[in-house]
Amino acid sequence: MRHISRTQMTELLSHPIFRQIGQVADGMGMECYVVGGFVRDLFLERPSKDIDCVVVGSGIAVAQTLGKTLGRGAHVSVFRNFGTAQVKWRNIEVEFVGARRESYQRDSRKPIVEDGTLEDDLDRRDFTINALAVCLNEQRFGELVDRFQGLLDMEDRIIATPLDPDITFSDDPLRMMRCVRFATQLRFQIEEETAEALERNADRIKIISQERIIDELNKIIASPQPSIGFVELSRCGLLPLIFPELSKLEGVETRNGRAHKDNFFHTLEVLDNVARKTDNLWLRWAALLHDIGKPRSKRWEPVAGWTFHNHNYIGSRMTPDIFRRMKLPLDERMKYVQKLVDLHMRPIAIADAEVTDSAVRRLLFEAGEDIDDLMTLCEADITSKNQQKKQHFLDNFRLVREKLADLQARDNYRTWQNPITGEEIMQTFHLQPCKEIGILKQLVKDAIWESQIPNTYEAARDYMMEKAKEMGLTTENK
Ligand code: CTP
C-alpha cells in the first residue's frame, strides 16, 4: 500500500471531472465525496473502473446539474427507484447517490433506506478498507475521511467490518462472499472477529441470489491464488452451502492402514497450478471439477485399495447439473469444461504406458483445439510429493507433447474428417438412417487412426466395402 498526502491526492484526482463535481456540489450547497472501491484502489495502486460519489443531499440533483454544466457529450441516466444517477462523460463513468442510512429486515436483502449523513453512509459499508471517502468540495478537495482506520487495515493487510461483523453480515449476507473474495484477491487476512462472524452467519447466504454468489465465486477463481478463498470458504462453513460437490471432496479415509489423498486439497493445488499458467476462467473451472466425480466412484478393493474408477466420466456427467444450479453458462463453455474433465486422465494413461502414435492421435482427435489446455490441466494435476515420480510423469508428458506436435504437423488431426460420409454409406447401400451407418464410419475411423490403412479416400472406400460385406450389407437396390 502507498501513502498519499493531501497534495498527492489532489494530483491523483487530476481528471477535470472531479473539480467539476466539487464546483457543482458547492453551487448547490451540498457536500460531495468520492467513496468506496475507487478510493481503496488508489491506495492499493490497483486499476479501478467505477467511480462512486456520495452526496450529502440529492445525488440525482447533483448528477443532473453536472450533466448540464458539462454540456454536450455528457450523458445522464437516472434510476429513481434506486435513488442513483450515472454521468458518462468522455471515457469516464461516475455514479451518484445520496448519503443513506439503511436498516435491514431479517429475511430480505432489501433495506429500508432513509437520508443520512456521510458518517451514516460510511457506517453501513462492508469493510473498513471500503469505507473511505475523499471530499471533492473546493475548500476540502482531496481531504480523506477514514472513520474506521481503513488505512491502517490496508497497511496491516486486514479485512474487517466497520461495525459489529454480525450486523454487517446479517444485513447483507453477500458480504460474506465479498469478504472471502477480497481476502483472496488482495491476499489479506480476515480479522479474527470478522472470521468468527462468517461462521456464525454462513447459513444466511441462503437468502442471496445465485447470480450474485457465482459472481463472487468467479472472482475468487480468477484470483492469482484461488485456493486461499476455497480454504476460507471451507473453514467458515460456506462451502457446503454454495458448492456441496466440492465440499464432499474433503477428508481422508483410512482402511487397513491405507489412506487415499485428500481430494479437496489436491484439487486446490491443481487449481493454483493452473492459475499460475493461465487466466482462462474455464480452464480454472475444469481444474476445480476435474476430480469432482471421485466421491461417487470411490470403492475399497481388497488388493488394489482405494479406487476411483471412471471418476472422470462421472465428473463430466455431473458438470451440466453443477453449471445449471450455479447459474453458469450452459453453452460451449460448459461443454469445454465437461470435455476437459472427461479427458483429464487420458494423457497420463498414455504417458504411463508406451506413447504410441495411435493413442496420441486418438487423444488429439477427441480434444481437438483444446488439446493444449488439456495438457496444461494434466501437468497441473501432477501433485505428487515424490520428486522422482513427478519428474517421470513430466518427462513423459514432454514426450506426449512432442508426439502431438509431430502428428499435428504431419496430418493435421485437429481438423480431421472421415473421408467416408454417412451420406455416401446411405447411397452406396441404399439405406435409410440406421445404426449400421455409424458403425461403418467408426470402423473406418478406427482403421485410419490405428494406422491399419492410409488416411486417403480410396483406402477408406475399399475398407468400407470390405467391412460392409462382412456386415451383410449389399450395394444391390432391393
Ligand atoms: N458495498 C457494501 N456492501 C456490498 C457491496 C458494496 O457495503 N454488498 C459498498 C462498499 O463500500 C464498496 C462499494 O459499495 O466499496 C462499491 O461496491 P462495488 O462496486 O460492488 O465493489 P468495489 O468495492 O468497488 O469492488 P469491486 O469493483 O472489486 O467489486
Side-chain angles (χ1 to χ4, degrees):
M1 174 210 153
R2 64 175 161 182
H3 293 266
I4 303 175
S5 66
R6 184 158 164 199
T7 321
Q8 287 164 329
M9 184 61 86
T10 309
E11 283 161 17
L12 286 170
L13 301 178
S14 66
H15 194 290
I17 191 94
F18 293 111
R19 290 280 180 185
Q20 289 272 10
I21 297 170
Q23 279 163 17
V24 167
D26 279 337
M28 299 174 80
M30 297 179 195
E31 286 172 34
C32 184
Y33 300 83
V34 56
V35 289
F38 180 80
V39 181
R40 176 199 68 219
D41 289 339
L42 283 182
F43 285 94
L44 294 176
E45 300 182 69
R46 296 170 83 222
S48 184
K49 350 161 222 49
D50 338 311
I51 303 174
D52 293 315
C53 284
V54 164
V55 174
V56 185
S58 167
I60 293 178
V62 169
Q64 284 172 327
T65 314
L66 178 70
K68 286 196 195 108
T69 314
L70 294 171
R72 280 152 148 278
H75 184 81
V76 182
S77 320
V78 174
F79 309 96
R80 287 221 180 264
N81 293 348
F82 297 98
T84 64
Q86 186 192 57
V87 177
K88 282 193 194 172
W89 186 59
R90 296 186 184 162
N91 56 346
I92 219 159
E93 279 179 32
V94 190
E95 289 273 335
F96 288 87
V97 63
R100 299 191 268 204
R101 286 159 58 96
E102 286 183 357
S103 54
Y104 291 76
Q105 291 162 309
R106 257 210 85 69
D107 53 355
S108 167
R109 269 199 85 211
K110 300 214 170 53
I112 303 164
V113 183
E114 297 162 76
D115 291 345
T117 61
L118 175 72
E119 288 71 25
D120 292 330
D121 196 278
L122 296 179
D123 289 358
R124 72 178 179 87
R125 289 180 181 265
D126 53 3
F127 305 110
T128 60
I129 61 168
N130 288 344
L132 300 168
V134 175
C135 189
L136 296 180
N137 295 85
E138 185 72 40
Q139 292 279 313
R140 294 169 55 211
F141 193 86
E143 184 188 305
L144 178 75
V145 180
D146 178 8
R147 266 168 74 71
F148 304 101
Q149 306 207 306
L151 284 195
L152 262 184
D153 284 350
M154 255 191 260
E155 197 151 278
D156 296 340
R157 307 178 72 81
I158 282 174
I159 308 281
T161 55
L163 304 178
D164 177 346
D166 283 317
I167 296 173
T168 303
F169 290 148
S170 171
D171 277 354
D172 177 1
L174 181 70
R175 290 169 170 169
M176 297 189 286
M177 290 299 297
R178 285 173 58 90
C179 180
V180 177
R181 187 256 287 190
F182 282 120
T184 315
Q185 280 182 329
L186 306 176
R187 293 172 196 255
F188 279 21
Q189 287 284 330
I190 300 172
E191 176 270 338
E192 216 174 296
E193 278 180 36
T194 306
E196 284 166 16
L198 281 179
E199 276 175 64
R200 278 193 298 273
N201 293 278
D203 210 44
R204 295 264 296 153
I205 199 70
K206 288 177 181 153
I207 67 164
I208 299 297
S209 77
Q210 182 54 38
E211 286 82 355
R212 285 168 179 267
I213 294 177
I214 198 65
D215 240 34
E216 294 299 329
L217 195 67
N218 276 338
K219 286 181 183 174
I220 291 173
I221 296 171
S223 299
Q225 196 185 331
S227 63
I228 299 173
F230 284 98
V231 168
E232 184 54 35
L233 289 173
S234 157
R235 186 207 61 79
C236 71
L238 277 168
L239 193 66
L241 300 171
I242 62 163
F243 201 163
E245 296 87 350
L246 189 67
S247 181
K248 288 203 181 90
L249 294 186
E250 290 183 86
V252 174
E253 209 178 326
T254 309
R255 229 187 249 193
N256 301 348
R258 291 167 80 171
H260 62 75
K261 66 182 166 207
D262 184 314
N263 288 305
F264 178 62
F265 286 107
H266 164 71
T267 294
L268 295 189
E269 222 180 315
V270 177
L271 176 59
D272 283 351
N273 286 344
V274 165
R276 264 193 290 276
K277 298 273 180 200
T278 171
D279 288 337
N280 176 349
L281 178 68
W282 306 106
L283 184 46
R284 292 179 180 207
W285 263 102
L288 204 51
L289 296 185
H290 81 287
D291 275 349
I292 206 77
K294 276 196 167 171
R296 290 196 192 169
S297 64
K298 181 167 136 179
R299 301 275 176 280
W300 169 261
E301 291 170 13
V303 181
W306 294 110
T307 63
F308 301 91
H309 292 309
N310 276 336
H311 73 270
N312 52 320
Y313 176 67
I314 294 171
S316 81
R317 293 280 300 265
M318 290 165 70
T319 304
D321 284 344
I322 293 173
F323 266 54
R324 196 169 301 116
R325 202 196 59 239
M326 293 246 179
K327 296 262 178 354
L328 285 164
L330 296 171
D331 54 15
E332 70 284 354
R333 288 168 284 189
M334 188 275 284
K335 295 214 173 80
Y336 163 90
V337 173
Q338 202 177 15
K339 175 158 112 182
L340 293 185
V341 172
D342 186 18
L343 293 178
H344 85 269
M345 301 293 287
R346 290 284 292 282
I348 205 156
I350 296 176
D352 206 15
E354 201 192 341
V355 184
T356 64
D357 269 16
S358 66
V360 175
R361 226 173 233 161
R362 215 168 259 287
L363 176 69
L364 192 50
F365 182 69
E366 280 175 62
E369 60 187 20
D370 302 317
I371 186 72
D372 292 335
D373 291 351
L374 179 66
M375 293 306 290
T376 303
L377 172 63
C378 293
E379 280 164 359
D381 196 12
I382 314 283
T383 60
S384 169
K385 299 291 166 275
N386 177 336
Q387 277 309 318
Q388 229 177 334
K389 212 162 144 186
K390 193 167 169 171
Q391 201 50 52
H392 165 73
F393 277 116
L394 290 178
D395 287 347
N396 272 0
F397 273 151
R398 214 188 47 239
L399 261 178
V400 176
R401 275 193 191 268
E402 278 167 18
K403 193 142 258 179
L404 277 169
D406 185 39
L407 282 181
Q408 269 165 277
R410 235 171 42 211
D411 42 32
N412 213 354
Y413 270 76
R414 276 181 203 234
T415 53
W416 185 85
Q417 282 195 332
N418 198 326
I420 301 298
T421 63
E423 198 61 33
E424 180 169 356
I425 297 174
M426 292 204 295
Q427 277 176 11
T428 312
F429 304 106
H430 312 289
L431 296 171
Q432 293 301 312
C434 60
K435 69 171 193 276
E436 280 74 15
I437 302 166
I439 296 172
L440 257 184
K441 273 183 76 176
Q442 184 67 36
L443 285 169
V444 173
K445 178 181 140 188
D446 286 348
I448 295 177
W449 285 40
E450 302 295 348
S451 307
Q452 288 173 31
I453 59 169
N455 183 20
T456 63
Y457 173 73
E458 289 70 28
R461 170 97 191 171
D462 289 349
Y463 190 77
M464 169 188 83
M465 297 308 289
E466 183 190 323
K467 289 289 148 186
K469 203 168 161 195
E470 286 170 26
M471 287 163 69
L473 298 175
T474 157
T475 54
E476 278 162 37
N477 204 346
K478 283 176 234 159

